[in-house]
């Protein structure tokens, strides 16, 4: 469903835009995460969320996973909308990237196997996976700013989500003995591999 936003532009119902926020529709900071542009967009996000979310859930629990996902999604959305006010934002990517980066911050040395293009097996440490995701987003953002290409991807949303996920693990879990409990739980989880 397409509806006019606060600026008179037609956007999908529940999408986030600067006009929607100016019109007081703050709930779009959450609803945009449940909309996707295509089945491939949805499947890609859900696949990454399934694997990274399982790890965060096993180590930190449901409450922290939800904070990372929704917090990363909202911080990423704000970053994207403040800089690129003209384009409506949809997709769970900012929250998914926050979850992936949080997992990489929790277990940076863990080796994982990925299928590049769903065919080529690649072996990497989680910290390398996180670095590749961030560098790709920076490169795509630079390409769009320089006018080399226009992919219509919310790279700033991804980077905002990545920053939130990393800061949540590095700063949010550092107090009052949480690190010790996390370390013990992470050790038990890693022994399952």
């Amino acid at each position: 469903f397409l509806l006019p936003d606060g600026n008179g532009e037609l956007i999908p119902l529940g999408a986030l835009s600067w006009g929607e926020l100016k019109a007081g529709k703050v709930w779009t900071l959450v609803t945009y995460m449940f909309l996707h542009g295509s089945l491939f967009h949805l499947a890609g996000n859900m696949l990454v969320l399934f694997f990274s979310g399982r790890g965060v859930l096993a180590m930190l629990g449901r409450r922290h996973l939800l904070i990372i996902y929704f917090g990363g999604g909202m911080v990423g959305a704000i970053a994207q909308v403040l800089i690129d006010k003209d384009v409506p934002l949809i997709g769970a990517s900012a929250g998914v990237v926050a979850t992936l980066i949080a997992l990489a911050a929790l277990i940076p040395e863990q080796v994982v196997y990925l299928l590049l293009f769903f065919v080529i097996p690649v072996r990497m440490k989680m910290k390398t996976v996180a670095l590749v995701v961030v560098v790709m987003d920076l490169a795509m953002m630079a390409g769009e700013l320089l006018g080399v290409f226009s992919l219509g991807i919310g790279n700033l949303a991804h980077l905002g989500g990545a920053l939130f996920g990393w800061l949540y693990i590095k700063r949010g879990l550092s107090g009052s003995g949480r690190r010790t409990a996390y370390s013990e739980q992470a050790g038990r989880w890693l022994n399952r591999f």
Side-chain angles (χ1 to χ4, degrees):
F1 296 105
L2 295 176
L3 296 175
D5 74 349
N7 292 330
E9 300 291 324
L10 288 178
I11 65 168
L13 176 64
L16 176 66
S17 72
W18 181 248
E20 293 289 278
L21 288 180
K22 280 190 344 189
K25 298 178 181 177
V26 292
W27 58 84
T28 59
L29 283 168
V30 174
T31 58
Y32 90 96
M33 290 185 249
F34 296 97
L35 303 174
H36 287 80
S38 69
L39 189 56
F40 181 75
H41 185 203
L42 175 65
N45 275 333
M46 294 306 101
L47 188 64
V48 175
L49 182 61
F50 175 76
F51 289 108
S52 61
R54 282 182 64 193
V56 172
L57 180 65
M59 286 186 269
L60 300 178
R62 184 180 332 170
R63 185 173 141 261
H64 290 290
L65 173 60
L66 291 172
I67 291 169
I68 292 167
Y69 176 77
F70 284 107
M74 286 188 267
V75 167
I78 291 168
Q80 184 73 37
V81 169
L82 285 177
I83 302 301
D84 191 2
K85 295 181 167 121
D86 298 331
V87 180
L89 188 63
I90 58 171
S93 302
V96 170
V97 171
T99 306
L100 178 66
I101 299 301
L103 182 63
L106 287 167
I107 53 172
E109 300 300 321
Q110 178 66 43
V111 175
V112 294
Y113 295 89
L114 307 170
L115 287 176
L116 189 63
F117 305 114
F118 300 104
V119 178
I120 305 165
V122 178
R123 182 177 183 239
M124 280 191 242
K125 290 184 177 181
M126 280 301 296
K127 65 183 178 184
T128 307
V129 172
L131 183 63
V132 166
V133 168
V134 170
V135 168
M136 282 177 50
D137 273 314
L138 287 170
M140 286 189 287
M141 187 172 69
E144 288 194 8
L145 288 174
L146 295 172
V148 176
F149 49 77
S150 179
L151 300 173
I153 296 174
N155 299 108
L156 279 169
H158 296 176
L159 293 170
L163 181 63
F164 181 87
W166 185 80
L167 285 175
Y168 187 84
I169 299 302
K170 294 299 182 182
R171 301 288 178 236
L173 293 178
S174 61
S176 67
R178 290 182 190 155
R179 277 277 179 208
T180 307
Y182 143 71
S183 296
E184 292 170 4
Q185 203 167 13
R188 286 192 300 272
W189 190 77
L190 286 174
N191 286 333
R192 296 179 186 169
F193 276 96

